[in-house]
Amino acid sequence: MGTSLASKTIGGGDQAFKWYLHTSGTALASTPRISNGNGDDSGLVVGINTVGIYNAGGFVTTFTGLATADRAVSFPDAAGTVLLDTTTGRTVTKLASDSSSTITTFSEIGSFSFTPSASKTYSFKMILRVQSAASTTAAKIKFLGPSVDFVTYRVTAPRAPASGAGLWEGTFDALDEEINPLSFYDASGGQGIVEISGIVKLGSGSPTSQFRLSLASEVASDQVSVLEGSAMIFEEL
């Protein structure tokens, strides 16, 4: 494999670096160890698409790269333990900017969607920051998507003061239904949280559209908004 690594020659003055790739003529596929410059084994192994760490018990934890393009993984700058999500197929979409409407006709919220796959079942949750400029005008919402085998979801939202305190709750079993919980917060009072959660199963045919939301105002000319930071979470079951 040659006599240098990163422009440093093994032995002599460069021996102070005390590391080099030691394969002993073994094919890379057999996960050769990384050795120190004095020949002692270290806790590292290298394989095709993998990097591993041996512990004192002789067990190895392997990190595998499955990327289809260059990726960068960043860890938070804090001491502690990083907990990895052991599930697969979890997608989180955050709304990058406010989406508003002043008309009673529904229009889709742009760049806030999820692309499903045929024959898959998903659980989903949407956490929406909702605001209205008028104290008696609700934000109307629709959950849109492709043809599905079934969908059931629940919506919770703060009640309008005239409707009493507490939360409004509704259950739906079809897409493209108008959700009008009479929930509102005027511009001086902050934002209300609307949550939509449920389960949906796709049929065997290729989906013809994405899952997405549309927004309308209950009263013409009164502005209602779904605000930046609202999140849409889909997880394959």
Side-chain angles (χ1 to χ4, degrees), residues 137-234:
T137 299
K140 301 191 297 182
I141 297 169
K142 282 187 178 182
F143 178 29
L144 309 176
S147 176
V148 299
D149 281 358
F150 66 78
V151 62
T152 305
Y153 55 102
R154 180 180 60 198
V155 181
T156 60
R159 288 183 182 274
S163 302
L167 294 177
W168 177 92
E169 181 175 293
T171 301
F172 301 82
D173 58 7
L175 298 173
D176 201 19
E177 291 198 34
E178 180 177 313
I179 302 168
N180 183 357
L182 295 178
S183 171
F184 60 82
Y185 275 73
D186 63 40
S188 62
Q191 300 89 39
I193 295 293
V194 175
E195 292 192 4
I196 305 172
S197 59
I199 296 177
V200 61
K201 183 180 187 301
L202 279 293
S204 58
S206 180
T208 57
S209 65
Q210 299 173 311
F211 288 116
R212 58 210 190 277
L213 295 178
S214 61
L215 174 68
S217 177
E218 186 183 35
V219 178
S221 300
D222 287 348
Q223 179 171 295
V224 295
S225 303
V226 175
L227 302 176
E228 174 187 354
S230 297
M232 175 185 292
I233 307 165
F234 277 78

Side-chain angles (χ1 to χ4, degrees), residues 44-197:
L44 297 178
V45 294
V46 176
I48 297 177
N49 295 331
T50 65
V51 174
I53 302 174
Y54 273 101
N55 64 17
F59 299 102
V60 64
T61 299
T62 302
F63 302 88
T64 303
L66 300 176
T68 56
D70 291 342
R71 307 294 186 203
V73 178
S74 300
F75 292 95
D77 183 17
T81 300
V82 177
L83 299 179
L84 301 180
D85 190 343
T86 57
T87 60
T88 59
R90 186 172 187 265
T91 302
V92 179
T93 303
K94 292 187 293 184
L95 189 61
S97 58
D98 298 350
S99 180
S100 301
S101 176
T102 58
I103 60 176
T104 57
T105 301
F106 282 91
S107 58
E108 292 185 16
I109 298 175
S111 302
F112 195 51
S113 60
F114 170 73
T115 302
S117 298
S119 303
K120 300 294 186 180
T121 301
Y122 299 94
S123 64
F124 59 87
K125 185 174 185 178
M126 304 174 204
I127 306 171
L128 310 177
R129 297 174 58 223
V130 179
Q131 187 176 53
S132 175
S135 61
T136 55
T137 299
K140 301 191 297 182
I141 297 169
K142 282 187 178 182
F143 178 29
L144 309 176
S147 176
V148 299
D149 281 358
F150 66 78
V151 62
T152 305
Y153 55 102
R154 180 180 60 198
V155 181
T156 60
R159 288 183 182 274
S163 302
L167 294 177
W168 177 92
E169 181 175 293
T171 301
F172 301 82
D173 58 7
L175 298 173
D176 201 19
E177 291 198 34
E178 180 177 313
I179 302 168
N180 183 357
L182 295 178
S183 171
F184 60 82
Y185 275 73
D186 63 40
S188 62
Q191 300 89 39
I193 295 293
V194 175
E195 292 192 4
I196 305 172
S197 59

